Amino acid sequence: MLFIPLPFVAALLLLVLLAQMSLREPTANRSFRSLVILLAALSVLIGIRWGYSTERLLPVQALFASAVGPLAWIGFAAFVSRQESQRVRRLWPHALPTALIGVLAIARPQWLDVALIVIFAWYAVLLARLAWRGSDALDLARIEEAPLVHRALQAMAATLLLAAIADSLISVSIRWFEGAFAAVIVSAATVPLILLLGIGAAIASRNTTPPEKGETPRLVPDSDSAVVATLIALIEEQQLYRDHNLTLQRLARKAGIPARLLSQAVNGVCGRNLSQFINDFRVAEACRLLENVDIPITTLTYDVGFLTKSNFNREFRRVTGVSPTEWRARRASRQEPTLKFARRSL
């Protein structure tokens, strides 16, 4: 009977995920697509090594594994504009981990495990530091979906840290217990972690938008309240909340105010992140449009700037305390629901 290792099943699931990514978002971030392909290949190599006790592919497996962290970092760095951080966008240093593994595979193969553990841990720290800055630091992500990208970033950092721990346990098992527990650790930890990395890459890949070119310099208001007042006037005048591809960078360019100042002002004055701030405008406009009972809620969702009905329903309930359907029903029966915020006091 043919034995099919669990990593082979994981590789198949990753390829299905890749196909869905390509169909859903043809222009998806290439780094994330490459990461999913790499994870599928890595899963196959793990299956061959542990399922059929083949050790000769260990250097290749180590090379593939060393590229996981760098590809994840490069993918998320694409959400940070050059104006925000030139250092984040430097790509060439991230080829060094794979180069190091290549050298060790030839000269010091006994150090491969330690090197991989360090690489996983290092990129977990890098991603965690970026995540620590909040969703507004990802100023090229669509504002509506920036929190989702941020959660994927947090999950990716945690998964890489867990991968470093799993590799440490495997190394201890091989060195001290003659590999007695290694296969169990691979099945129970490594394969699920590979799937989690693939899912995180798929979630983040669909949200990249092209960066804005050029800037419109203006005088920056001298207080956070003035920045927010300028921003509210601009959003209402141009109805920017209807832009499905609106990003922090694009909004900053239109306002002529640095993205970091915009984010700090909104957080400080309104007590909300930029995604919630913009979604408040969208929900307020949706409440106005719901007065017209002839407009289907699905159509209204897209008209006010939301990309998905699930996001619209969640944000509508956050702001109003009820669903769009309940809001319309109460308005029709003259039971006036109230918003949890006053639009003029944004």
Side-chain angles (χ1 to χ4, degrees):
M1 180 176 178
L2 179 64
F3 170 64
I4 301 178
L6 182 60
F8 288 1
V9 178
L12 180 60
L13 293 175
L14 288 168
L15 292 177
V16 171
L17 187 63
L18 178 66
Q20 291 178 340
M21 290 170 61
S22 301
L23 291 174
R24 183 185 60 230
E25 194 78 22
T27 59
N29 186 305
R30 292 181 180 179
S31 295
F32 288 126
R33 282 208 252 185
S34 299
L35 178 57
V36 173
I37 294 172
L38 177 70
L39 290 169
L42 179 60
S43 192
V44 170
L45 290 172
I46 291 174
I48 294 174
R49 180 189 177 190
W50 295 103
Y52 300 102
S53 301
T54 302
E55 299 291 334
R56 288 178 295 179
L57 293 178
L58 179 58
V60 180
Q61 178 187 326
L63 282 172
F64 280 31
S66 68
V68 171
L71 274 178
W73 172 255
I74 291 170
F76 282 105
F79 290 109
V80 180
S81 67
R82 293 183 183 276
Q83 291 80 8
E84 175 70 13
S85 176
Q86 287 283 358
R87 182 173 54 84
V88 167
R89 303 276 295 181
R90 291 177 185 168
L91 303 182
W92 67 264
H94 303 290
L96 297 179
T98 302
L100 172 63
I101 292 297
V103 172
L104 290 178
I106 297 173
R108 293 288 188 275
Q110 66 271 23
W111 290 101
L112 284 177
D113 289 344
V114 174
L116 282 176
I117 292 167
V118 171
I119 291 170
F120 282 141
W122 172 249
Y123 279 95
V125 170
L126 287 182
L127 292 172
R129 287 182 62 189
L130 181 57
W132 182 260
R133 295 165 57 189
S135 60
D136 288 349
L138 307 172
D139 62 331
L140 292 182
R142 297 187 187 109
I143 284 178
E144 179 187 353
E145 297 177 328
L148 182 62
V149 180
H150 185 248
R151 287 194 291 272
L153 171 60
Q154 292 174 314
M156 194 79 75
T159 304
L160 285 175
L161 179 59
L162 291 174
I165 295 173
D167 267 20
S168 299
L169 294 176
I170 293 172
S171 180
V172 168
S173 174
I174 292 174
R175 293 175 186 273
W176 292 354
F177 300 99
E178 298 181 352
F181 307 104
V184 174
I185 297 171
V186 169
S187 298
T190 303
V191 174
L193 290 176
I194 287 177
L195 284 174
L196 284 175
L197 287 168
I199 293 170
I203 291 173
S205 69
R206 61 184 180 178
N207 298 294
T208 307
T209 58
E212 292 285 318
K213 296 183 179 180
E215 295 183 359
T216 306
R218 297 180 187 174
L219 291 176
V220 177
D222 57 2
S223 70
D224 286 350
S225 296
V227 170
V228 172
T230 300
L231 187 58
I232 290 174
L234 177 68
I235 291 171
E236 292 186 331
E237 177 186 350
Q238 300 186 20
Q239 295 188 328
L240 295 178
Y241 51 86
R242 293 181 182 271
D243 183 357
H244 302 99
N245 290 318
L246 186 64
T247 65
L248 173 56
Q249 188 207 38
R250 182 174 298 180
L251 189 60
R253 179 177 177 272
K254 289 181 179 294
I257 299 172
R260 182 173 296 178
L261 289 183
L262 279 185
S263 174
Q264 290 175 351
V266 170
N267 277 272
V269 174
C270 303
R272 297 188 288 278
N273 61 37
L274 195 68
S275 177
Q276 293 173 325
F277 179 78
I278 295 298
N279 286 339
D280 284 348
F281 284 93
R282 290 168 171 166
V283 170
E285 179 67 8
C287 290
R288 186 186 69 81
L289 293 177
L290 281 170
E291 299 292 330
N292 184 347
V293 296
D294 295 329
I295 301 178
I297 291 179
T298 302
T299 302
L300 181 148
T301 297
Y302 192 80
D303 287 347
V304 300
F306 286 98
L307 287 168
T308 64
K309 190 175 179 180
S310 60
N311 277 351
F312 172 60
N313 288 336
R314 182 177 61 252
E315 289 299 294
F316 195 96
R317 189 175 289 276
R318 174 183 66 83
V319 174
T320 67
V322 297
S323 70
T325 303
E326 290 171 325
W327 175 280
R328 172 172 279 173
R330 291 186 185 184
R331 298 289 289 186
S333 62
R334 300 187 181 281
Q335 297 178 14
E336 300 287 334
T338 57
L339 295 175
K340 291 183 179 178
F341 71 94
R343 180 163 181 171
R344 292 184 180 276
S345 65
L346 281 170

